[in-house]
């Protein structure tokens, strides 16, 4: 995909799909393909895998490639495909990003390396080397709450200036001043995606391209509809959906993502609710809160008090 074409197509709700596991903890590739079909049928505008919601640090390098390849085949060109290829390891990041290009991904999402806490100059050198290793578009993924380092706007602007295939950023950054300055310094045509659920609508208002939101795993139709309403000029509907989704957003982050999301999808019958340690499902108390919220949103049938007590025992 040419860079200018990517900037036109990579918009709206790009769902960061979870990686389903079976009861034994193996990747459930059939469930992954089924999730992707459901997303596209629900109106999702793009598919991403092996981002934060996909538990990439719990997968082997080969598993990450298998998940990417399975997802690419399931998408089958119906919407853009943007796998996460970043890692704490520089060489592994390049290998995965090259693999994304080989299988025909439309772009790659590359996270700021976690745990290492690199300097801004080191981050510049890392992303520049990754960008120069491939021809596909790159979306940088800035999530300081997970990586312990913030990719500063000036560093991102240098990368956007020096690397023509770095076309956007996913900002999981609660600093709204920061994300405003991204578009100011990188250009208004730079793709800005929200990774913070409560900022998905506000980022659209300043010229954002869309969101890569964990909540889309549970209500892909609603998150897609919010973006459709905005792009169609129905501002009131987009605002209404923003506030309608707030309670669900909150409960899906009641513990570390993707634990609550996987619990919710398990309750909805979409996947086996399984994570790999060191991650785990939320506490039973939190799972009951998730269940009540899903019922409230019409995603689960309301249970009797006896059924709820039986599940709790």
């Amino acid at each position: 995909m040419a860079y200018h074409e990517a900037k036109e197509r990579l918009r709206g709700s790009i769902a960061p799909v979870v990686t389903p596991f079976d009861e034994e903890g193996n990747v459930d590739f059939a469930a992954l393909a089924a999730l992707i079909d459901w997303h596209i049928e629900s109106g999702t505008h793009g598919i991403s895998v092996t981002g934060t919601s996909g538990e990439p640090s719990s997968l082997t390098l080969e598993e990450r490639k298998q998940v990417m390849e399975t997802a690419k085949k399931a998408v089958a060109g119906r919407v853009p495909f943007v796998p996460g290829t970043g890692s704490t390891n520089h060489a592994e990041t390049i290998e995965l990003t090259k693999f994304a290009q080989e299988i025909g991904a439309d772009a790659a999402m590359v996270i700021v390396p976690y745990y290492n806490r690199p300097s801004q100059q080191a981050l510049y050198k890392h992303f520049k080397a990754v960008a120069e290793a491939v021809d596909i578009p790159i979306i940088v993924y800035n999530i300081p709450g997970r990586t312990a380092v913030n990719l500063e706007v000036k560093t991102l602007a240098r990368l956007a200036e020096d690397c023509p295939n770095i076309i956007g950023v996913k900002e999981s950054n609660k600093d709204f001043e920061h994300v405003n300055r991204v578009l100011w310094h990188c250009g208004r045509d730079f793709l800005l995606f929200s990774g913070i659920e409560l900022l998905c609508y506000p980022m659209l208002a300043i010229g954002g391209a869309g969101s890569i939101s964990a909540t889309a795993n549970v209500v892909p139709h609603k998150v897609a509809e919010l973006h459709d309403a905005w792009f169609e000029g129905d501002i009131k509907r987009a605002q209404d959906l923003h506030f309608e989704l707030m309670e669900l957003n909150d409960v899906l982050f009641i513990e570390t993502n993707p634990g609550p999301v996987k619990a919710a999808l398990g309750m909805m019958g979409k996947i086996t609710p399984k994570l790999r340690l060191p991650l785990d499902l939320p506490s039973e108390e939190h799972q009951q809160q998730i269940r009540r919220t899903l019922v409230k949103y019409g995603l689960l049938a309301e249970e009797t008090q006896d059924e709820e007590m039986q599940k709790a025992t």
Side-chain angles (χ1 to χ4, degrees):
M1 184 188 294
Y3 306 149
H4 68 277
E5 182 186 351
K7 287 190 173 184
E8 293 298 322
R9 290 193 64 207
L10 295 173
R11 293 185 176 274
S13 173
I14 299 178
V17 181
V18 299
T19 301
F21 300 122
D22 62 22
E23 288 289 356
E24 286 71 45
N26 301 308
V27 177
D28 188 338
F29 294 104
L32 174 63
L35 282 177
I36 289 170
D37 281 340
W38 175 55
H39 272 283
I40 295 174
E41 291 163 4
S42 300
T44 291
H45 305 108
I47 296 292
S48 181
V49 293
T50 59
T52 302
S53 297
E55 296 172 75
S57 60
S58 296
L59 302 174
T60 66
L61 188 64
E62 185 58 33
E63 284 175 329
R64 288 188 67 168
K65 291 180 178 180
Q66 291 173 339
V67 167
M68 289 162 61
E69 197 161 23
T70 299
K72 177 64 171 62
K73 289 177 181 177
V75 170
R78 290 176 288 175
V79 295
F81 174 55
V82 187
T85 60
S87 166
T88 192
N89 181 284
H90 179 70
E92 187 175 284
T93 298
I94 290 179
E95 181 178 345
L96 288 168
T97 308
K98 285 183 174 179
F99 183 77
Q101 177 172 291
E102 289 169 12
I103 65 174
D106 297 294
M109 184 173 66
V110 183
I111 194 169
V112 169
Y114 36 92
Y115 180 76
N116 294 327
R117 300 188 68 182
S119 68
Q120 294 300 305
Q121 178 62 15
L123 287 173
Y124 171 82
K125 292 169 71 175
H126 168 71
F127 282 108
K128 188 171 187 288
V130 174
E132 289 177 344
V134 295
D135 294 325
I136 60 172
I138 300 292
I139 296 173
V140 174
Y141 180 12
N142 187 31
I143 179 168
R146 291 267 191 166
T147 64
V149 61
N150 182 45
L151 182 67
E152 295 177 2
V153 173
K154 289 183 179 179
T155 307
L156 184 59
R158 284 180 68 198
L159 289 164
E161 176 70 24
D162 296 343
C163 306
N165 58 332
I166 293 182
I167 63 167
V169 62
K170 175 185 175 181
E171 283 285 355
S172 293
N173 193 326
K174 294 183 178 181
D175 183 349
F176 200 58
E177 288 190 14
H178 170 99
V179 297
N180 275 270
R181 294 182 191 281
V182 166
L183 291 181
W184 186 22
H185 287 278
C186 296
R188 299 274 291 277
D189 64 339
F190 196 69
L191 300 183
L192 173 64
F193 292 94
S194 176
I196 298 289
E197 276 60 29
L198 293 190
L199 294 184
C200 290
Y201 174 79
M203 282 200 201
L204 290 173
I206 64 168
S211 69
I212 306 175
S213 161
T215 300
N217 276 290
V218 177
V219 282
H221 60 298
K222 288 288 187 183
V223 179
E225 185 184 351
L226 186 157
H227 291 80
D228 288 338
W230 173 264
F231 291 127
E232 291 165 7
D234 190 347
I235 309 304
K236 177 65 163 57
R237 179 61 181 151
Q239 288 176 338
D240 288 346
L241 284 162
H242 167 70
F243 287 105
E244 179 183 328
L245 289 170
M246 283 182 67
E247 184 176 351
L248 182 61
N249 288 333
D250 285 347
V251 82
L252 291 179
F253 285 85
I254 198 167
E255 290 188 24
T256 302
N257 179 49
V261 167
K262 280 195 157 182
L265 288 172
M267 295 170 194
M268 294 165 63
K270 297 293 184 183
I271 65 169
T272 299
K274 182 81 174 180
L275 291 88
R276 285 180 176 174
L277 295 172
L279 296 177
D280 200 3
L281 290 170
S283 68
E284 184 59 40
E285 178 185 355
H286 285 159
Q287 288 195 51
Q288 289 302 321
Q289 189 173 342
I290 292 166
R291 184 178 297 278
R292 288 192 295 270
T293 304
L294 295 182
V295 169
K296 184 174 181 179
Y297 276 79
L299 300 170
L300 284 182
E302 190 165 5
E303 297 177 323
T304 66
Q305 186 174 2
D306 289 343
E307 287 173 326
E308 288 188 351
M309 289 178 64
Q310 187 175 7
K311 285 182 181 292
T313 58

